[in-house]
Amino acid sequence: MPENVTEKKKVIFSAIQPSGTITLGNYLGALQNWVKLQDEYNCIFAVADLHAITVRQEPKDFRRNILEAYALLLACGIDTEKSPFFIQSHVHTHAELAWILNCYTQFGELSRMTQFKDKSQKHADNVNAGLFTYPSLMAADILLYQADLVPVGVDQKQHLELTRNIAERFNGIYGNTFKVPDAYIGQVGAKIMSLQEPTKKMSKSDENVNAWVAVLDKPETIMKKFKRAVTDSEAKVCVGEGKDGINNLIGIMSAVTGKTSDEITAEFDGRGYGDFKVAVAEAVIEKLRPIQERYSQYIENKDYLAEQYRKSAEFALRLSQRTLDKVMKKIGYLAK
């Protein structure tokens, strides 16, 4: 279990929250790249369900979201024979190291986290301690596996910098314990914008459901959303200033077909936006079709899913326990 983890490749750790919906933007911007990384690196992936409870969850929906997120990421191409892919709460070392790292993280550092400020405003009725110490748990996730690299979006760069600071602080006190991780800067994933407000990133939290496409949206829904996509009055398919809507559609078309923006512009020369929107929708539908088919098979086979996440959790626990044992010994805890 997994064979390539024993090879001398750099280790990448990445996790995604079980938010209930994975958008086209999530897939093209991040998940598609996760799949490619598996051949070049020792990848370790997780569904970050511990992180998810900083916001109050409905238990029944939460359980379903965790399982559906797991099945969907498998459908996107994560291969547990290459990369352990587990559910975070099934590996107890994450919560244990998070508590220890809380004690090596400064209050001032956490209070400067912009994501804490943003989420505190958004969930003003539930500004809990977990929301505040969330970055220490994220640091534990990464440092447990001695990760060399972490793929991070713009909103997580600050958290990775804090993870590095925590690792360096601990190493400075107790000697070399944690590998200090770097941000993974690889092939830049497509930045997919809202179909209704193309200056904003595509997000499932957008109240306008026509602004975003879910990976599991039905073909007719995808077509409808693209037909309603905001464009401009020029009616010319080309990249340009002030053409945010069309620039976004060209970017999506390029990401799902592999064609360059110049090739797309040439192909649709003299054709209107109506034709182009339909073509983009059709290309997206075809790109997502095999993922949706695999997802349907996985979600109907709960035993298979359980086998995969349990096998991966066992592996992750063995790997992460080595780091936790080393940390506890250095601090001075009595061995069991």
Short mmCIF file of all heavy atoms in Angstrom, two decimals, residues 262-314:
data_model
loop_
_atom_site.label_atom_id
_atom_site.label_comp_id
_atom_site.label_asym_id
_atom_site.label_seq_id
_atom_site.Cartn_x
_atom_site.Cartn_y
_atom_site.Cartn_z
N ASP A 262 -5.80 31.35 -28.98
CA ASP A 262 -5.70 31.72 -30.40
C ASP A 262 -6.45 30.74 -31.29
O ASP A 262 -7.14 31.13 -32.23
CB ASP A 262 -4.23 31.79 -30.84
CG ASP A 262 -3.51 33.01 -30.27
OD1 ASP A 262 -4.21 33.94 -29.80
OD2 ASP A 262 -2.27 33.03 -30.27
N GLU A 263 -6.32 29.46 -30.99
CA GLU A 263 -7.04 28.43 -31.77
C GLU A 263 -8.55 28.58 -31.61
O GLU A 263 -9.31 28.45 -32.58
CB GLU A 263 -6.59 27.03 -31.32
CG GLU A 263 -5.18 26.66 -31.76
CD GLU A 263 -4.68 25.38 -31.11
OE1 GLU A 263 -5.20 24.99 -30.03
OE2 GLU A 263 -3.76 24.76 -31.68
N ILE A 264 -8.97 28.88 -30.40
CA ILE A 264 -10.41 29.06 -30.15
C ILE A 264 -10.93 30.30 -30.88
O ILE A 264 -11.99 30.26 -31.51
CB ILE A 264 -10.66 29.16 -28.63
CG1 ILE A 264 -10.35 27.82 -27.95
CG2 ILE A 264 -12.11 29.56 -28.33
CD1 ILE A 264 -10.21 27.89 -26.45
N THR A 265 -10.15 31.36 -30.81
CA THR A 265 -10.54 32.60 -31.51
C THR A 265 -10.68 32.35 -33.01
O THR A 265 -11.65 32.79 -33.64
CB THR A 265 -9.49 33.71 -31.25
OG1 THR A 265 -9.42 33.96 -29.84
CG2 THR A 265 -9.85 34.99 -31.97
N ALA A 266 -9.72 31.63 -33.59
CA ALA A 266 -9.76 31.34 -35.04
C ALA A 266 -10.97 30.47 -35.39
O ALA A 266 -11.64 30.69 -36.40
CB ALA A 266 -8.46 30.66 -35.46
N GLU A 267 -11.25 29.48 -34.52
CA GLU A 267 -12.35 28.55 -34.77
C GLU A 267 -13.71 29.26 -34.78
O GLU A 267 -14.61 28.89 -35.54
CB GLU A 267 -12.35 27.46 -33.70
CG GLU A 267 -13.39 26.37 -33.91
CD GLU A 267 -13.35 25.31 -32.81
OE1 GLU A 267 -12.32 25.20 -32.10
OE2 GLU A 267 -14.35 24.59 -32.66
N PHE A 268 -13.84 30.29 -33.94
CA PHE A 268 -15.14 30.98 -33.82
C PHE A 268 -15.15 32.35 -34.49
O PHE A 268 -16.03 33.17 -34.22
CB PHE A 268 -15.55 31.06 -32.34
CG PHE A 268 -15.94 29.73 -31.78
CD1 PHE A 268 -14.99 28.89 -31.20
CD2 PHE A 268 -17.25 29.27 -31.89
CE1 PHE A 268 -15.33 27.65 -30.72
CE2 PHE A 268 -17.60 28.02 -31.40
CZ PHE A 268 -16.65 27.20 -30.82
N ASP A 269 -14.18 32.58 -35.36
CA ASP A 269 -14.14 33.84 -36.10
C ASP A 269 -15.43 34.00 -36.93
O ASP A 269 -15.80 33.11 -37.69
CB ASP A 269 -12.92 33.85 -37.03
CG ASP A 269 -12.76 35.18 -37.74
OD1 ASP A 269 -13.10 36.21 -37.15
OD2 ASP A 269 -12.32 35.17 -38.91
N GLY A 270 -16.10 35.11 -36.74
CA GLY A 270 -17.32 35.38 -37.51
C GLY A 270 -18.57 34.74 -36.95
O GLY A 270 -19.66 34.90 -37.51
N ARG A 271 -18.44 33.97 -35.87
CA ARG A 271 -19.60 33.33 -35.26
C ARG A 271 -20.00 34.08 -34.00
O ARG A 271 -19.18 34.68 -33.32
CB ARG A 271 -19.30 31.86 -34.94
CG ARG A 271 -19.06 31.04 -36.20
CD ARG A 271 -18.42 29.70 -35.90
NE ARG A 271 -19.31 28.81 -35.15
CZ ARG A 271 -18.95 27.60 -34.74
NH1 ARG A 271 -17.73 27.14 -35.01
NH2 ARG A 271 -19.80 26.85 -34.08
N GLY A 272 -21.26 34.05 -33.68
CA GLY A 272 -21.78 34.83 -32.56
C GLY A 272 -21.57 34.17 -31.21
O GLY A 272 -21.11 33.02 -31.10
N TYR A 273 -21.92 34.93 -30.17
CA TYR A 273 -21.76 34.44 -28.80
C TYR A 273 -22.69 33.26 -28.50
O TYR A 273 -22.35 32.39 -27.69
CB TYR A 273 -22.04 35.56 -27.80
CG TYR A 273 -20.93 36.60 -27.71
CD1 TYR A 273 -21.14 37.81 -27.06
CD2 TYR A 273 -19.67 36.37 -28.27
CE1 TYR A 273 -20.13 38.76 -26.95
CE2 TYR A 273 -18.66 37.31 -28.17
CZ TYR A 273 -18.90 38.51 -27.51
OH TYR A 273 -17.90 39.44 -27.41
N GLY A 274 -23.86 33.23 -29.15
CA GLY A 274 -24.79 32.13 -28.91
C GLY A 274 -24.17 30.80 -29.28
O GLY A 274 -24.21 29.84 -28.48
N ASP A 275 -23.55 30.72 -30.44
CA ASP A 275 -22.85 29.50 -30.89
C ASP A 275 -21.73 29.14 -29.92
O ASP A 275 -21.53 27.96 -29.58
CB ASP A 275 -22.24 29.72 -32.28
CG ASP A 275 -23.25 29.55 -33.39
OD1 ASP A 275 -24.41 29.22 -33.07
OD2 ASP A 275 -22.88 29.75 -34.56
N PHE A 276 -20.99 30.16 -29.52
CA PHE A 276 -19.83 29.92 -28.68
C PHE A 276 -20.24 29.38 -27.30
O PHE A 276 -19.64 28.43 -26.79
CB PHE A 276 -19.01 31.20 -28.52
CG PHE A 276 -17.74 31.01 -27.74
CD1 PHE A 276 -16.82 30.03 -28.09
CD2 PHE A 276 -17.45 31.81 -26.64
CE1 PHE A 276 -15.64 29.85 -27.36
CE2 PHE A 276 -16.29 31.64 -25.91
CZ PHE A 276 -15.38 30.66 -26.27
N LYS A 277 -21.27 29.96 -26.72
CA LYS A 277 -21.73 29.50 -25.40
C LYS A 277 -22.16 28.03 -25.45
O LYS A 277 -21.84 27.24 -24.55
CB LYS A 277 -22.90 30.36 -24.92
CG LYS A 277 -22.53 31.77 -24.50
CD LYS A 277 -23.79 32.51 -24.05
CE LYS A 277 -23.51 33.92 -23.63
NZ LYS A 277 -24.74 34.62 -23.19
N VAL A 278 -22.87 27.66 -26.52
CA VAL A 278 -23.31 26.27 -26.68
C VAL A 278 -22.10 25.35 -26.82
O VAL A 278 -22.05 24.28 -26.21
CB VAL A 278 -24.25 26.13 -27.90
CG1 VAL A 278 -24.48 24.66 -28.24
CG2 VAL A 278 -25.58 26.83 -27.63
N ALA A 279 -21.11 25.79 -27.58
CA ALA A 279 -19.91 24.98 -27.80
C ALA A 279 -19.14 24.78 -26.49
O ALA A 279 -18.64 23.68 -26.21
CB ALA A 279 -19.01 25.63 -28.85
N VAL A 280 -19.03 25.84 -25.69
CA VAL A 280 -18.33 25.73 -24.40
C VAL A 280 -19.09 24.76 -23.49
O VAL A 280 -18.49 23.88 -22.86
CB VAL A 280 -18.19 27.11 -23.71
CG1 VAL A 280 -17.52 26.94 -22.33
CG2 VAL A 280 -17.37 28.06 -24.56
N ALA A 281 -20.40 24.91 -23.44
CA ALA A 281 -21.23 24.01 -22.61
C ALA A 281 -21.05 22.56 -23.03
O ALA A 281 -20.87 21.67 -22.18
CB ALA A 281 -22.69 24.42 -22.71
N GLU A 282 -21.07 22.30 -24.34
CA GLU A 282 -20.91 20.93 -24.85
C GLU A 282 -19.54 20.37 -24.47
O GLU A 282 -19.42 19.19 -24.10
CB GLU A 282 -21.12 20.90 -26.36
CG GLU A 282 -22.58 21.08 -26.78
CD GLU A 282 -22.76 21.22 -28.27
OE1 GLU A 282 -21.76 21.47 -28.98
OE2 GLU A 282 -23.92 21.09 -28.74
N ALA A 283 -18.52 21.20 -24.56
CA ALA A 283 -17.16 20.75 -24.21
C ALA A 283 -17.07 20.42 -22.72
O ALA A 283 -16.43 19.43 -22.33
CB ALA A 283 -16.14 21.83 -24.58
N VAL A 284 -17.69 21.24 -21.89
CA VAL A 284 -17.69 20.99 -20.44
C VAL A 284 -18.46 19.71 -20.12
O VAL A 284 -18.01 18.88 -19.31
CB VAL A 284 -18.29 22.21 -19.69
CG1 VAL A 284 -18.57 21.86 -18.22
CG2 VAL A 284 -17.36 23.40 -19.78
N ILE A 285 -19.60 19.54 -20.76
CA ILE A 285 -20.42 18.34 -20.54
C ILE A 285 -19.62 17.08 -20.87
O ILE A 285 -19.63 16.10 -20.10
CB ILE A 285 -21.72 18.41 -21.39
CG1 ILE A 285 -22.66 19.47 -20.81
CG2 ILE A 285 -22.42 17.05 -21.44
CD1 ILE A 285 -23.78 19.90 -21.74
N GLU A 286 -18.89 17.11 -21.98
CA GLU A 286 -18.08 15.95 -22.38
C GLU A 286 -16.92 15.71 -21.42
O GLU A 286 -16.57 14.57 -21.12
CB GLU A 286 -17.57 16.12 -23.82
CG GLU A 286 -18.62 15.90 -24.88
CD GLU A 286 -19.38 14.59 -24.68
OE1 GLU A 286 -18.75 13.52 -24.59
OE2 GLU A 286 -20.63 14.63 -24.57
N LYS A 287 -16.34 16.80 -20.93
CA LYS A 287 -15.23 16.68 -19.98
C LYS A 287 -15.69 16.04 -18.67
O LYS A 287 -14.99 15.22 -18.07
CB LYS A 287 -14.65 18.07 -19.70
CG LYS A 287 -13.48 18.11 -18.73
CD LYS A 287 -12.21 17.62 -19.38
CE LYS A 287 -11.00 17.83 -18.48
NZ LYS A 287 -9.76 17.31 -19.10
N LEU A 288 -16.90 16.40 -18.25
CA LEU A 288 -17.41 15.92 -16.95
C LEU A 288 -18.11 14.57 -17.03
O LEU A 288 -18.29 13.91 -16.01
CB LEU A 288 -18.35 16.96 -16.34
CG LEU A 288 -17.74 18.33 -16.03
CD1 LEU A 288 -18.79 19.26 -15.42
CD2 LEU A 288 -16.54 18.21 -15.09
N ARG A 289 -18.50 14.17 -18.24
CA ARG A 289 -19.28 12.94 -18.39
C ARG A 289 -18.61 11.71 -17.74
O ARG A 289 -19.24 11.02 -16.93
CB ARG A 289 -19.58 12.66 -19.87
CG ARG A 289 -20.60 11.53 -20.07
CD ARG A 289 -20.74 11.17 -21.55
NE ARG A 289 -21.07 12.31 -22.38
CZ ARG A 289 -22.29 12.85 -22.51
NH1 ARG A 289 -23.31 12.32 -21.84
NH2 ARG A 289 -22.49 13.89 -23.29
N PRO A 290 -17.33 11.41 -18.05
CA PRO A 290 -16.73 10.21 -17.44
C PRO A 290 -16.61 10.32 -15.92
O PRO A 290 -16.72 9.32 -15.21
CB PRO A 290 -15.35 10.11 -18.10
CG PRO A 290 -15.10 11.44 -18.72
CD PRO A 290 -16.43 12.03 -19.04
N ILE A 291 -16.41 11.53 -15.42
CA ILE A 291 -16.33 11.73 -13.96
C ILE A 291 -17.68 11.42 -13.33
O ILE A 291 -17.78 10.72 -12.32
CB ILE A 291 -15.90 13.18 -13.63
CG1 ILE A 291 -14.48 13.43 -14.12
CG2 ILE A 291 -16.01 13.46 -12.13
CD1 ILE A 291 -14.04 14.87 -14.03
N GLN A 292 -18.74 11.92 -13.95
CA GLN A 292 -20.09 11.68 -13.43
C GLN A 292 -20.46 10.21 -13.48
O GLN A 292 -21.10 9.69 -12.56
CB GLN A 292 -21.09 12.53 -14.22
CG GLN A 292 -20.92 14.02 -14.01
CD GLN A 292 -21.93 14.86 -14.77
OE1 GLN A 292 -22.71 14.35 -15.57
NE2 GLN A 292 -21.93 16.16 -14.54
N GLU A 293 -20.03 9.53 -14.54
CA GLU A 293 -20.33 8.09 -14.66
C GLU A 293 -19.61 7.30 -13.57
O GLU A 293 -20.19 6.41 -12.93
CB GLU A 293 -19.93 7.59 -16.05
CG GLU A 293 -20.87 8.08 -17.15
CD GLU A 293 -20.38 7.75 -18.55
OE1 GLU A 293 -19.24 7.24 -18.68
OE2 GLU A 293 -21.12 8.01 -19.52
N ARG A 294 -18.32 7.63 -13.35
CA ARG A 294 -17.57 6.92 -12.30
C ARG A 294 -18.15 7.22 -10.92
O ARG A 294 -18.25 6.34 -10.07
CB ARG A 294 -16.08 7.32 -12.36
CG ARG A 294 -15.32 6.72 -13.52
CD ARG A 294 -13.81 6.86 -13.33
NE ARG A 294 -13.37 8.24 -13.33
CZ ARG A 294 -12.99 8.91 -14.43
NH1 ARG A 294 -13.00 8.30 -15.62
NH2 ARG A 294 -12.58 10.16 -14.36
N TYR A 295 -18.51 8.48 -10.72
CA TYR A 295 -19.10 8.86 -9.43
C TYR A 295 -20.36 8.05 -9.14
O TYR A 295 -20.53 7.54 -8.02
CB TYR A 295 -19.43 10.36 -9.42
CG TYR A 295 -20.21 10.77 -8.20
CD1 TYR A 295 -19.57 11.01 -6.98
CD2 TYR A 295 -21.60 10.89 -8.24
CE1 TYR A 295 -20.29 11.35 -5.85
CE2 TYR A 295 -22.32 11.25 -7.11
CZ TYR A 295 -21.66 11.48 -5.92
OH TYR A 295 -22.37 11.81 -4.80
N SER A 296 -21.21 7.89 -10.13
CA SER A 296 -22.45 7.13 -9.95
C SER A 296 -22.15 5.69 -9.53
O SER A 296 -22.84 5.13 -8.67
CB SER A 296 -23.27 7.12 -11.24
OG SER A 296 -23.69 8.43 -11.55
N GLN A 297 -21.11 5.12 -10.11
CA GLN A 297 -20.73 3.75 -9.75
C GLN A 297 -20.21 3.68 -8.32
O GLN A 297 -20.58 2.80 -7.55
CB GLN A 297 -19.66 3.24 -10.72
CG GLN A 297 -20.15 3.04 -12.15
CD GLN A 297 -19.00 2.84 -13.13
OE1 GLN A 297 -17.84 2.81 -12.75
NE2 GLN A 297 -19.33 2.72 -14.41
N TYR A 298 -19.36 4.64 -7.96
CA TYR A 298 -18.76 4.62 -6.62
C TYR A 298 -19.78 4.86 -5.52
O TYR A 298 -19.78 4.17 -4.51
CB TYR A 298 -17.65 5.69 -6.51
CG TYR A 298 -16.40 5.39 -7.29
CD1 TYR A 298 -15.69 6.42 -7.93
CD2 TYR A 298 -15.91 4.10 -7.40
CE1 TYR A 298 -14.52 6.16 -8.64
CE2 TYR A 298 -14.75 3.83 -8.12
CZ TYR A 298 -14.06 4.87 -8.73
OH TYR A 298 -12.92 4.60 -9.44
N ILE A 299 -20.65 5.85 -5.72
CA ILE A 299 -21.56 6.22 -4.65
C ILE A 299 -22.59 5.12 -4.40
O ILE A 299 -23.18 5.03 -3.31
CB ILE A 299 -22.24 7.58 -4.94
CG1 ILE A 299 -22.68 8.25 -3.63
CG2 ILE A 299 -23.39 7.44 -5.92
CD1 ILE A 299 -21.56 8.65 -2.71
N GLU A 300 -22.79 4.25 -5.37
CA GLU A 300 -23.70 3.11 -5.20
C GLU A 300 -23.00 1.93 -4.52
O GLU A 300 -23.65 0.96 -4.16
CB GLU A 300 -24.24 2.65 -6.57
CG GLU A 300 -25.18 3.65 -7.24
CD GLU A 300 -26.42 3.93 -6.40
OE1 GLU A 300 -26.97 2.98 -5.81
OE2 GLU A 300 -26.81 5.11 -6.31
N ASN A 301 -21.69 2.03 -4.37
CA ASN A 301 -20.92 0.92 -3.80
C ASN A 301 -20.23 1.38 -2.51
O ASN A 301 -19.04 1.65 -2.48
CB ASN A 301 -19.89 0.42 -4.82
CG ASN A 301 -19.27 -0.90 -4.41
OD1 ASN A 301 -19.34 -1.30 -3.24
ND2 ASN A 301 -18.65 -1.59 -5.35
N LYS A 302 -21.02 1.51 -1.44
CA LYS A 302 -20.50 2.02 -0.16
C LYS A 302 -19.41 1.11 0.41
O LYS A 302 -18.49 1.59 1.07
CB LYS A 302 -21.64 2.14 0.86
CG LYS A 302 -22.84 2.98 0.42
CD LYS A 302 -22.49 4.45 0.33
CE LYS A 302 -23.73 5.34 0.21
NZ LYS A 302 -24.52 5.13 -1.01
N ASP A 303 -19.50 -0.19 0.16
CA ASP A 303 -18.49 -1.12 0.68
C ASP A 303 -17.13 -0.83 0.04
O ASP A 303 -16.09 -0.88 0.71
CB ASP A 303 -18.89 -2.57 0.40
CG ASP A 303 -20.06 -3.02 1.25
OD1 ASP A 303 -20.36 -2.32 2.24
OD2 ASP A 303 -20.69 -4.04 0.92
N TYR A 304 -17.14 -0.55 -1.26
CA TYR A 304 -15.88 -0.24 -1.95
C TYR A 304 -15.27 1.04 -1.39
O TYR A 304 -14.07 1.10 -1.11
CB TYR A 304 -16.12 -0.09 -3.46
CG TYR A 304 -14.89 0.37 -4.21
CD1 TYR A 304 -13.86 -0.51 -4.51
CD2 TYR A 304 -14.76 1.71 -4.59
CE1 TYR A 304 -12.72 -0.08 -5.17
CE2 TYR A 304 -13.62 2.15 -5.26
CZ TYR A 304 -12.61 1.25 -5.55
OH TYR A 304 -11.48 1.68 -6.19
N LEU A 305 -16.11 2.06 -1.19
CA LEU A 305 -15.61 3.32 -0.66
C LEU A 305 -15.01 3.12 0.74
O LEU A 305 -13.92 3.62 1.04
CB LEU A 305 -16.74 4.36 -0.59
CG LEU A 305 -17.30 4.85 -1.92
CD1 LEU A 305 -18.46 5.80 -1.69
CD2 LEU A 305 -16.22 5.54 -2.76
N ALA A 306 -15.71 2.35 1.57
CA ALA A 306 -15.22 2.09 2.93
C ALA A 306 -13.88 1.36 2.90
O ALA A 306 -12.97 1.65 3.68
CB ALA A 306 -16.25 1.29 3.72
N GLU A 307 -13.76 0.42 1.98
CA GLU A 307 -12.50 -0.34 1.85
C GLU A 307 -11.35 0.62 1.50
O GLU A 307 -10.25 0.51 2.06
CB GLU A 307 -12.66 -1.38 0.74
CG GLU A 307 -11.43 -2.23 0.50
CD GLU A 307 -11.57 -3.10 -0.75
OE1 GLU A 307 -12.72 -3.41 -1.14
OE2 GLU A 307 -10.53 -3.44 -1.32
N GLN A 308 -11.61 1.56 0.61
CA GLN A 308 -10.57 2.49 0.18
C GLN A 308 -10.17 3.45 1.30
O GLN A 308 -8.98 3.64 1.57
CB GLN A 308 -11.03 3.28 -1.06
CG GLN A 308 -11.34 2.45 -2.29
CD GLN A 308 -10.20 1.51 -2.64
OE1 GLN A 308 -9.06 1.93 -2.81
NE2 GLN A 308 -10.51 0.22 -2.75
N TYR A 309 -11.17 4.06 1.96
CA TYR A 309 -10.77 5.05 2.96
C TYR A 309 -10.21 4.41 4.22
O TYR A 309 -9.36 5.00 4.91
CB TYR A 309 -11.87 6.09 3.24
CG TYR A 309 -13.20 5.64 3.79
CD1 TYR A 309 -13.33 5.09 5.06
CD2 TYR A 309 -14.37 5.86 3.05
CE1 TYR A 309 -14.57 4.73 5.57
CE2 TYR A 309 -15.62 5.51 3.55
CZ TYR A 309 -15.71 4.95 4.81
OH TYR A 309 -16.95 4.60 5.32
N ARG A 310 -10.64 3.19 4.54
CA ARG A 310 -10.06 2.51 5.72
C ARG A 310 -8.62 2.08 5.46
O ARG A 310 -7.75 2.24 6.32
CB ARG A 310 -10.92 1.30 6.09
CG ARG A 310 -12.21 1.68 6.77
CD ARG A 310 -13.14 0.51 6.97
NE ARG A 310 -14.42 0.93 7.56
CZ ARG A 310 -15.55 0.29 7.40
NH1 ARG A 310 -15.60 -0.82 6.67
NH2 ARG A 310 -16.66 0.75 7.95
N LYS A 311 -8.39 1.55 4.27
CA LYS A 311 -7.03 1.12 3.89
C LYS A 311 -6.08 2.31 3.92
O LYS A 311 -4.97 2.23 4.44
CB LYS A 311 -7.10 0.50 2.49
CG LYS A 311 -5.79 0.04 1.89
CD LYS A 311 -6.00 -0.64 0.55
CE LYS A 311 -6.51 0.31 -0.52
NZ LYS A 311 -6.53 -0.29 -1.88
N SER A 312 -6.53 3.44 3.37
CA SER A 312 -5.70 4.64 3.34
C SER A 312 -5.48 5.21 4.73
O SER A 312 -4.39 5.68 5.06
CB SER A 312 -6.34 5.70 2.44
OG SER A 312 -6.25 5.34 1.08
N ALA A 313 -6.51 5.16 5.58
CA ALA A 313 -6.38 5.69 6.94
C ALA A 313 -5.37 4.88 7.75
O ALA A 313 -4.59 5.43 8.53
CB ALA A 313 -7.74 5.69 7.63
N GLU A 314 -5.37 3.57 7.56
CA GLU A 314 -4.40 2.71 8.27
C GLU A 314 -2.98 3.09 7.87
O GLU A 314 -2.09 3.19 8.71
CB GLU A 314 -4.67 1.24 7.94
CG GLU A 314 -5.90 0.67 8.62
CD GLU A 314 -6.27 -0.72 8.10
OE1 GLU A 314 -5.46 -1.30 7.35
OE2 GLU A 314 -7.36 -1.20 8.44
#
